Amino acid sequence: SSCEDLAKIFFKQNYLVYAICKYESLKLQNYCKKVFRINYNWHELKKILNLIDSENKMEILIGSGFAELLNANDLISVRKNRGNSFKVLNKINSHEFFIDLEHKGINIPEWSIKKPINDKCLIKKFKSFGGTFIKNKPKSYSLKSDEYFQKQISGEHLSIQFFAQNRDIYLLCICNQFHQRNNYKPFLIKGLITKNADINLKKKLLKICEQVTGIYNLNGINNLDLILDVYKNDIYLLELNGRPGLSTNLIFKIHKNIYKDLSFRYNVDKTKKFFGTQIIYSKKSIHIIGKKFDFIQSLRNSNIFSELPLENTKIERNEPICLIHSKSNDINKLKKKLKNLSYIILNNLD
Protein backbone atom coordinates (compact mmCIF):
# COMPACT_ATOMS: atom_id res chain seq x y z
CA SER A 1 0.00 0.00 0.00
CA SER A 2 1.05 3.66 0.04
CA CYS A 3 4.00 4.26 2.33
CA GLU A 4 5.03 7.89 1.91
CA ASP A 5 4.71 8.90 5.57
CA LEU A 6 6.77 5.90 6.66
CA ALA A 7 9.46 6.48 4.01
CA LYS A 8 9.73 10.13 5.10
CA ILE A 9 10.40 9.11 8.70
CA PHE A 10 13.31 6.83 7.81
CA PHE A 11 14.65 9.33 5.24
CA LYS A 12 14.79 12.01 7.96
CA GLN A 13 16.75 9.57 10.14
CA ASN A 14 19.37 9.30 7.36
CA TYR A 15 18.32 5.90 6.03
CA LEU A 16 18.72 5.02 2.36
CA VAL A 17 15.12 4.05 1.62
CA TYR A 18 13.77 1.61 -0.98
CA ALA A 19 9.98 1.49 -1.13
CA ILE A 20 8.03 -1.46 -2.51
CA CYS A 21 4.36 -0.52 -2.69
CA LYS A 22 1.11 -1.08 -4.51
CA TYR A 23 0.18 2.62 -4.75
CA GLU A 24 2.80 5.28 -5.39
CA SER A 25 2.16 8.85 -4.25
CA LEU A 26 3.38 12.20 -5.57
CA LYS A 27 6.05 12.86 -2.93
CA LEU A 28 7.23 9.30 -2.29
CA GLN A 29 10.18 9.64 -4.69
CA ASN A 30 11.47 12.56 -2.59
CA TYR A 31 12.33 10.18 0.25
CA CYS A 32 13.48 7.08 -1.64
CA LYS A 33 16.49 5.99 -3.64
CA LYS A 34 14.09 3.89 -5.70
CA VAL A 35 10.38 3.04 -5.69
CA PHE A 36 8.97 -0.26 -6.97
CA ARG A 37 5.25 -0.64 -7.66
CA ILE A 38 3.85 -4.15 -7.48
CA ASN A 39 0.67 -5.96 -6.56
CA TYR A 40 0.67 -8.27 -3.55
CA ASN A 41 2.77 -10.83 -5.41
CA TRP A 42 5.27 -12.99 -3.50
CA HIS A 43 7.45 -13.89 -6.52
CA GLU A 44 7.73 -10.31 -7.74
CA LEU A 45 8.53 -9.07 -4.24
CA LYS A 46 11.25 -11.66 -3.72
CA LYS A 47 12.81 -10.78 -7.08
CA ILE A 48 13.02 -7.09 -6.11
CA LEU A 49 14.49 -7.86 -2.68
CA ASN A 50 17.17 -10.04 -4.28
CA LEU A 51 17.95 -7.23 -6.71
CA ILE A 52 18.42 -4.46 -4.14
CA ASP A 53 19.73 -6.57 -1.25
CA SER A 54 21.28 -9.79 -2.52
CA GLU A 55 23.39 -10.16 0.65
CA ASN A 56 20.44 -9.73 3.06
CA LYS A 57 22.10 -6.84 4.90
CA MET A 58 19.32 -4.26 4.74
CA GLU A 59 16.72 -3.61 7.41
CA ILE A 60 13.12 -4.37 6.45
CA LEU A 61 9.67 -3.25 7.58
CA ILE A 62 6.40 -4.76 6.33
CA GLY A 63 3.54 -2.26 5.97
CA SER A 64 -0.22 -2.23 5.57
CA GLY A 65 -1.67 -4.50 2.89
CA PHE A 66 1.47 -6.62 2.50
CA ALA A 67 1.24 -7.54 6.20
CA GLU A 68 -2.31 -8.83 5.78
CA LEU A 69 -2.26 -10.31 2.31
CA LEU A 70 1.09 -12.11 2.00
CA ASN A 71 2.36 -15.31 3.59
CA ALA A 72 6.08 -15.18 3.02
CA ASN A 73 8.34 -15.36 6.07
CA ASP A 74 11.35 -16.28 3.92
CA LEU A 75 11.23 -12.80 2.38
CA ILE A 76 12.55 -11.35 5.63
CA SER A 77 15.31 -13.99 5.81
CA VAL A 78 18.19 -12.88 8.08
CA ARG A 79 17.52 -9.18 7.50
CA LYS A 80 17.01 -7.01 10.59
CA ASN A 81 13.23 -6.81 10.92
CA ARG A 82 11.84 -3.49 12.21
CA GLY A 83 8.39 -5.03 12.61
CA ASN A 84 6.73 -8.39 13.12
CA SER A 85 7.48 -11.62 11.26
CA PHE A 86 5.05 -12.98 8.68
CA LYS A 87 4.52 -15.91 11.03
CA VAL A 88 3.12 -13.53 13.67
CA LEU A 89 1.23 -11.43 11.12
CA ASN A 90 -0.48 -14.49 9.64
CA LYS A 91 -1.51 -15.74 13.07
CA ILE A 92 -3.08 -12.45 14.18
CA ASN A 93 -4.97 -12.33 10.88
CA SER A 94 -6.65 -15.69 11.43
CA HIS A 95 -9.17 -17.33 13.76
CA GLU A 96 -6.27 -18.31 16.01
CA PHE A 97 -6.05 -14.71 17.18
CA PHE A 98 -9.45 -14.80 18.87
CA ILE A 99 -8.78 -18.23 20.37
CA ASP A 100 -5.51 -16.93 21.84
CA LEU A 101 -7.28 -13.88 23.33
CA GLU A 102 -9.99 -16.04 24.88
CA HIS A 103 -7.39 -18.31 26.47
CA LYS A 104 -5.74 -15.26 28.06
CA GLY A 105 -9.05 -13.88 29.33
CA ILE A 106 -8.92 -10.77 27.14
CA ASN A 107 -12.36 -9.28 26.55
CA ILE A 108 -13.57 -9.56 22.92
CA PRO A 109 -17.00 -9.34 21.26
CA GLU A 110 -18.82 -12.62 20.78
CA TRP A 111 -17.86 -14.23 17.45
CA SER A 112 -18.66 -17.31 15.42
CA ILE A 113 -17.62 -19.10 12.21
CA LYS A 114 -20.80 -21.19 12.20
CA LYS A 115 -23.93 -19.12 12.74
CA PRO A 116 -24.85 -15.44 13.18
CA ILE A 117 -24.71 -14.01 16.71
CA ASN A 118 -27.95 -12.10 16.08
CA ASP A 119 -29.76 -10.29 13.25
CA LYS A 120 -27.60 -7.17 13.62
CA CYS A 121 -24.16 -8.75 13.82
CA LEU A 122 -21.24 -7.92 11.53
CA ILE A 123 -19.49 -9.94 8.85
CA LYS A 124 -15.72 -9.51 8.93
CA LYS A 125 -12.71 -11.00 7.20
CA PHE A 126 -9.91 -12.28 9.41
CA LYS A 127 -7.51 -10.19 7.32
CA SER A 128 -9.59 -7.02 7.59
CA PHE A 129 -7.66 -3.73 7.73
CA GLY A 130 -8.87 -0.13 7.60
CA GLY A 131 -12.46 -1.30 7.93
CA THR A 132 -12.51 -2.38 4.26
CA PHE A 133 -13.75 -5.91 4.93
CA ILE A 134 -16.48 -5.25 7.49
CA LYS A 135 -20.17 -5.13 6.61
CA ASN A 136 -23.58 -5.52 8.18
CA LYS A 137 -25.11 -8.96 7.93
CA PRO A 138 -27.95 -9.22 5.38
CA LYS A 139 -31.02 -11.35 6.12
CA SER A 140 -29.47 -14.40 4.52
CA TYR A 141 -25.74 -14.99 4.18
CA SER A 142 -23.32 -17.91 3.85
CA LEU A 143 -19.90 -17.25 5.35
CA LYS A 144 -16.80 -17.65 3.21
CA SER A 145 -13.83 -19.54 4.64
CA ASP A 146 -11.96 -16.31 5.46
CA GLU A 147 -14.91 -14.64 7.24
CA TYR A 148 -16.62 -14.70 10.63
CA PHE A 149 -19.63 -13.23 12.39
CA GLN A 150 -19.02 -10.73 15.20
CA LYS A 151 -21.44 -9.18 17.66
CA GLN A 152 -21.76 -5.44 17.12
CA ILE A 153 -20.80 -3.42 20.22
CA SER A 154 -21.86 0.21 20.67
CA GLY A 155 -19.40 2.57 22.27
CA GLU A 156 -16.35 4.79 21.78
CA HIS A 157 -13.95 3.53 19.11
CA LEU A 158 -10.31 3.69 20.22
CA SER A 159 -7.05 3.04 18.42
CA ILE A 160 -4.02 2.46 20.65
CA GLN A 161 -0.55 2.91 19.16
CA PHE A 162 2.36 1.29 20.98
CA PHE A 163 5.97 0.28 20.43
CA ALA A 164 7.14 -3.20 21.46
CA GLN A 165 10.72 -4.31 21.93
CA ASN A 166 11.99 -7.36 23.83
CA ARG A 167 8.53 -7.68 25.45
CA ASP A 168 8.71 -4.11 26.79
CA ILE A 169 5.81 -1.81 25.90
CA TYR A 170 5.95 1.92 25.19
CA LEU A 171 2.58 3.59 24.79
CA LEU A 172 2.81 6.07 21.89
CA CYS A 173 -0.66 7.59 21.76
CA ILE A 174 -4.34 6.88 22.31
CA CYS A 175 -6.67 7.97 19.52
CA ASN A 176 -10.37 8.22 18.86
CA GLN A 177 -11.22 6.52 15.61
CA PHE A 178 -13.99 7.85 13.38
CA HIS A 179 -15.56 6.35 10.27
CA GLN A 180 -16.66 7.31 6.78
CA ARG A 181 -20.40 7.37 6.11
CA ASN A 182 -20.82 4.34 3.91
CA ASN A 183 -23.85 2.05 4.04
CA TYR A 184 -22.05 -0.92 2.52
CA LYS A 185 -18.87 -0.47 4.60
CA PRO A 186 -20.12 1.04 7.88
CA PHE A 187 -16.73 0.89 9.60
CA LEU A 188 -14.50 2.24 6.84
CA ILE A 189 -11.88 4.26 8.73
CA LYS A 190 -11.98 7.98 8.04
CA GLY A 191 -9.44 9.24 10.55
CA LEU A 192 -7.81 9.44 13.97
CA ILE A 193 -7.60 12.16 16.60
CA THR A 194 -5.42 11.82 19.68
CA LYS A 195 -7.22 11.50 23.02
CA ASN A 196 -6.11 12.76 26.42
CA ALA A 197 -7.17 9.71 28.39
CA ASP A 198 -7.28 9.63 32.19
CA ILE A 199 -4.75 7.59 34.14
CA ASN A 200 -7.16 4.71 34.90
CA LEU A 201 -8.02 4.20 31.23
CA LYS A 202 -4.32 4.37 30.31
CA LYS A 203 -3.51 1.65 32.82
CA LYS A 204 -6.25 -0.62 31.44
CA LEU A 205 -5.12 -0.08 27.85
CA LEU A 206 -1.45 -0.59 28.72
CA LYS A 207 -2.33 -3.89 30.40
CA ILE A 208 -4.08 -5.09 27.22
CA CYS A 209 -1.03 -4.07 25.14
CA GLU A 210 1.21 -6.02 27.53
CA GLN A 211 -1.01 -9.10 27.41
CA VAL A 212 -1.17 -9.17 23.60
CA THR A 213 2.56 -8.52 23.26
CA GLY A 214 3.21 -11.38 25.68
CA ILE A 215 1.23 -13.77 23.48
CA TYR A 216 3.02 -12.95 20.23
CA ASN A 217 6.30 -11.30 21.31
CA LEU A 218 5.41 -8.30 19.16
CA ASN A 219 8.07 -6.05 17.69
CA GLY A 220 8.05 -2.42 16.53
CA ILE A 221 4.98 -0.26 16.00
CA ASN A 222 1.63 -1.99 16.56
CA ASN A 223 -1.90 -0.76 17.10
CA LEU A 224 -5.02 -2.15 18.70
CA ASP A 225 -8.58 -1.30 17.69
CA LEU A 226 -10.93 -1.39 20.67
CA ILE A 227 -14.39 -0.29 21.76
CA LEU A 228 -15.02 1.34 25.12
CA ASP A 229 -18.54 0.61 26.35
CA VAL A 230 -19.07 3.81 28.33
CA TYR A 231 -22.18 2.47 30.09
CA LYS A 232 -20.70 -0.81 31.33
CA ASN A 233 -17.14 0.56 31.50
CA ASP A 234 -15.98 -2.50 29.55
CA ILE A 235 -13.25 -2.54 26.92
CA TYR A 236 -13.51 -4.93 23.95
CA LEU A 237 -10.52 -5.73 21.76
CA LEU A 238 -11.50 -5.88 18.06
CA GLU A 239 -8.28 -6.13 16.06
CA LEU A 240 -4.51 -6.10 16.32
CA ASN A 241 -2.65 -4.46 13.45
CA GLY A 242 0.93 -5.66 13.73
CA ARG A 243 2.50 -2.94 11.59
CA PRO A 244 2.50 0.88 11.15
CA GLY A 245 -0.66 2.30 9.58
CA LEU A 246 -2.77 5.44 9.36
CA SER A 247 -1.33 6.79 12.62
CA THR A 248 2.24 6.99 11.24
CA ASN A 249 2.24 10.76 10.61
CA LEU A 250 0.79 11.78 13.97
CA ILE A 251 2.97 9.31 15.93
CA PHE A 252 6.11 10.88 14.52
CA LYS A 253 4.85 14.39 15.19
CA ILE A 254 4.84 13.40 18.86
CA HIS A 255 7.88 11.06 18.95
CA LYS A 256 10.52 12.28 16.49
CA ASN A 257 13.18 9.55 16.57
CA ILE A 258 11.24 6.51 17.59
CA TYR A 259 13.47 3.91 15.90
CA LYS A 260 16.73 5.46 17.13
CA ASP A 261 15.91 6.96 20.52
CA LEU A 262 13.67 5.17 23.01
CA SER A 263 13.69 8.10 25.45
CA PHE A 264 10.13 8.77 24.23
CA ARG A 265 9.04 6.14 26.77
CA TYR A 266 9.34 8.82 29.47
CA ASN A 267 7.59 11.55 27.50
CA VAL A 268 4.18 10.19 26.52
CA ASP A 269 2.48 13.24 28.07
CA LYS A 270 4.99 15.84 26.87
CA THR A 271 2.35 17.56 24.76
CA LYS A 272 -1.26 18.41 25.41
CA LYS A 273 -1.93 19.23 21.79
CA PHE A 274 -4.43 17.21 19.80
CA PHE A 275 -3.17 15.66 16.56
CA GLY A 276 -5.39 14.44 13.73
CA THR A 277 -5.04 12.48 10.50
CA GLN A 278 -7.89 11.99 8.05
CA ILE A 279 -8.40 10.07 4.80
CA ILE A 280 -10.13 12.07 2.07
CA TYR A 281 -12.42 9.77 0.09
CA SER A 282 -13.65 10.69 -3.35
CA LYS A 283 -17.38 11.35 -3.72
CA LYS A 284 -17.30 10.45 -7.42
CA SER A 285 -14.96 9.11 -10.11
CA ILE A 286 -12.02 11.49 -10.64
CA HIS A 287 -9.28 11.60 -13.25
CA ILE A 288 -6.22 13.53 -11.99
CA ILE A 289 -5.28 15.48 -15.13
CA GLY A 290 -5.16 19.13 -16.24
CA LYS A 291 -6.33 21.63 -13.63
CA LYS A 292 -7.01 18.84 -11.14
CA PHE A 293 -3.36 17.80 -11.24
CA ASP A 294 -2.25 21.46 -11.14
CA PHE A 295 -4.17 21.77 -7.88
CA ILE A 296 -2.60 18.59 -6.48
CA GLN A 297 0.83 19.91 -7.48
CA SER A 298 0.18 23.11 -5.53
CA LEU A 299 -0.09 21.04 -2.33
CA ARG A 300 3.10 19.05 -2.65
CA ASN A 301 5.32 21.35 -0.55
CA SER A 302 2.93 21.38 2.40
CA ASN A 303 3.33 19.03 5.37
CA ILE A 304 -0.44 19.14 5.84
CA PHE A 305 -0.99 16.77 2.88
CA SER A 306 0.52 13.36 2.14
CA GLU A 307 -0.14 10.40 -0.15
CA LEU A 308 -1.18 12.82 -2.93
CA PRO A 309 -2.07 11.08 -6.21
CA LEU A 310 0.18 11.04 -9.27
CA GLU A 311 -0.80 12.66 -12.57
CA ASN A 312 -3.22 10.59 -14.66
CA THR A 313 -4.41 8.62 -11.63
CA LYS A 314 -8.02 7.45 -11.84
CA ILE A 315 -9.82 7.44 -8.49
CA GLU A 316 -13.19 5.76 -8.18
CA ARG A 317 -16.02 6.80 -5.89
CA ASN A 318 -15.30 6.05 -2.20
CA GLU A 319 -11.59 5.46 -2.89
CA PRO A 320 -8.93 7.49 -1.01
CA ILE A 321 -7.57 10.66 -2.60
CA CYS A 322 -4.96 11.60 0.00
CA LEU A 323 -4.32 12.14 3.71
CA ILE A 324 -4.58 15.41 5.63
CA HIS A 325 -2.89 16.20 8.94
CA SER A 326 -3.38 18.94 11.51
CA LYS A 327 -3.00 19.79 15.20
CA SER A 328 -4.51 22.20 17.73
CA ASN A 329 -4.70 22.89 21.45
CA ASP A 330 -8.48 22.60 21.13
CA ILE A 331 -10.09 19.40 19.84
CA ASN A 332 -13.09 21.22 18.36
CA LYS A 333 -10.80 23.58 16.45
CA LEU A 334 -8.88 20.57 15.17
CA LYS A 335 -12.06 18.92 13.92
CA LYS A 336 -13.00 22.17 12.17
CA LYS A 337 -9.55 22.38 10.55
CA LEU A 338 -9.85 18.84 9.21
CA LYS A 339 -13.34 19.54 7.92
CA ASN A 340 -12.18 22.70 6.12
CA LEU A 341 -9.17 20.95 4.60
CA SER A 342 -11.42 18.17 3.38
CA TYR A 343 -13.73 20.70 1.76
CA ILE A 344 -10.79 22.39 -0.02
CA ILE A 345 -9.65 19.08 -1.53
CA LEU A 346 -13.08 17.88 -2.65
CA ASN A 347 -14.18 21.30 -3.93
CA ASN A 348 -11.11 21.70 -6.14
CA LEU A 349 -11.41 18.20 -7.56
CA ASP A 350 -15.15 18.43 -8.24
Side-chain angles (χ1 to χ4, degrees):
S1 63
S2 298
C3 54
E4 177 190 315
D5 286 328
L6 204 53
K8 182 179 179 180
I9 300 311
F10 283 97
F11 174 80
K12 288 199 167 186
Q13 294 183 19
N14 298 316
Y15 279 82
L16 190 65
V17 180
Y18 290 84
I20 305 173
C21 54
K22 184 175 182 180
Y23 304 106
E24 185 179 350
S25 58
L26 186 64
K27 296 188 284 185
L28 181 58
Q29 292 277 3
N30 296 354
Y31 312 119
C32 300
K33 180 174 177 64
K34 192 169 181 61
V35 176
F36 299 87
R37 287 182 65 181
I38 66 169
N39 209 328
Y40 302 118
N41 184 288
W42 178 87
H43 296 287
E44 198 172 354
L45 183 54
K46 188 168 185 176
K47 183 179 179 181
I48 293 170
L49 287 174
N50 289 336
L51 174 67
I52 63 177
D53 185 30
S54 59
E55 297 183 0
N56 294 336
K57 291 183 177 180
M58 286 187 179
E59 297 179 15
I60 191 168
L61 177 59
I62 310 300
S64 175
F66 289 96
E68 288 81 9
L69 300 176
L70 280 181
N71 182 1
N73 209 51
D74 58 328
L75 289 176
I76 295 174
S77 187
V78 296
R79 297 179 177 95
K80 181 177 181 179
N81 186 7
R82 286 295 193 167
N84 293 301
S85 68
F86 275 110
K87 182 179 179 181
V88 169
L89 293 169
N90 289 328
K91 193 167 186 180
I92 64 179
N93 290 305
S94 73
H95 70 282
E96 292 182 56
F97 175 64
F98 297 108
I99 295 171
D100 290 339
L101 296 182
E102 289 173 331
H103 285 167
K104 289 294 182 178
I106 297 173
N107 201 25
I108 60 174
E110 188 177 352
W111 69 288
S112 172
I113 56 174
K114 294 181 179 179
K115 61 181 181 178
I117 309 301
N118 54 40
D119 289 338
K120 293 185 178 180
C121 67
L122 301 172
I123 298 168
K124 300 178 69 173
K125 287 192 176 183
F126 288 109
K127 296 190 176 185
S128 174
F129 58 99
T132 53
F133 300 120
I134 307 173
K135 57 189 177 183
N136 292 315
K137 186 190 81 67
K139 289 183 178 181
S140 179
Y141 189 83
S142 296
L143 278 182
K144 299 179 178 65
S145 60
D146 61 345
E147 294 178 329
Y148 63 100
F149 295 112
Q150 186 182 71
K151 183 178 180 180
Q152 187 167 344
I153 305 291
S154 296
E156 183 181 356
H157 287 260
L158 301 177
S159 179
I160 315 307
Q161 326 301 319
F162 65 97
F163 192 94
Q165 187 177 69
N166 299 323
R167 295 187 182 273
D168 289 330
I169 302 299
Y170 313 114
L171 194 62
L172 300 174
C173 62
I174 301 168
C175 299
N176 280 119
Q177 189 181 87
F178 51 106
H179 302 98
Q180 178 77 355
R181 291 182 181 177
N182 186 312
N183 292 331
Y184 184 67
K185 297 179 180 179
F187 294 99
L188 190 64
I189 292 178
K190 185 176 182 180
L192 301 168
I193 292 178
T194 53
K195 174 185 176 70
N196 289 333
D198 62 57
I199 189 66
N200 289 328
L201 178 57
K202 282 183 181 178
K203 286 180 178 179
K204 290 179 181 179
L205 296 174
L206 185 59
K207 181 180 178 181
I208 295 172
C209 293
E210 290 172 341
Q211 288 176 304
V212 174
T213 297
I215 298 172
Y216 300 109
N217 193 17
L218 297 174
N219 184 50
I221 294 177
N222 298 266
N223 64 82
L224 297 175
D225 291 344
L226 309 104
I227 287 186
L228 173 61
D229 187 328
V230 293
Y231 297 106
K232 295 182 179 179
N233 202 30
D234 289 335
I235 299 173
Y236 295 87
L237 176 55
L238 302 179
E239 292 180 10
L240 163 62
N241 298 302
R243 42 53 181 176
L246 181 61
S247 59
T248 299
N249 188 284
L250 62 83
I251 286 176
F252 285 92
K253 278 186 167 66
I254 303 170
H255 311 287
K256 298 295 183 184
N257 297 309
I258 187 171
Y259 284 104
K260 288 192 172 182
D261 178 14
L262 292 182
S263 64
F264 66 80
R265 72 185 76 172
Y266 305 113
N267 297 306
V268 172
D269 294 319
K270 68 182 179 181
T271 176
K272 293 299 181 183
K273 286 183 181 294
F274 293 95
F275 295 84
T277 288
Q278 181 176 324
I279 305 170
I280 305 301
Y281 291 97
S282 179
K283 292 186 176 181
K284 64 179 186 179
S285 296
I286 299 173
H287 193 187
I288 306 298
I289 56 174
K291 291 183 178 180
K292 288 183 174 62
F293 182 64
D294 291 341
F295 168 70
I296 293 295
Q297 282 272 53
S298 72
L299 308 176
R300 70 177 301 155
N301 294 323
S302 171
N303 289 326
I304 294 174
F305 308 95
S306 67
E307 313 290 356
L308 293 163
L310 296 172
E311 186 175 17
N312 206 31
T313 299
K314 292 181 179 179
I315 303 170
E316 298 301 322
R317 185 173 180 268
N318 291 326
E319 287 186 347
I321 298 172
C322 67
L323 302 183
I324 55 175
H325 315 281
S326 192
K327 62 182 179 180
S328 177
N329 291 321
D330 184 283
I331 192 168
N332 291 318
K333 288 182 179 178
L334 174 57
K335 289 178 180 179
K336 188 173 181 179
K337 281 184 179 181
L338 293 172
K339 184 176 181 180
N340 289 340
L341 288 168
S342 176
Y343 175 79
I344 289 169
I345 296 288
L346 293 173
N347 190 51
N348 278 275
L349 295 179
D350 194 353

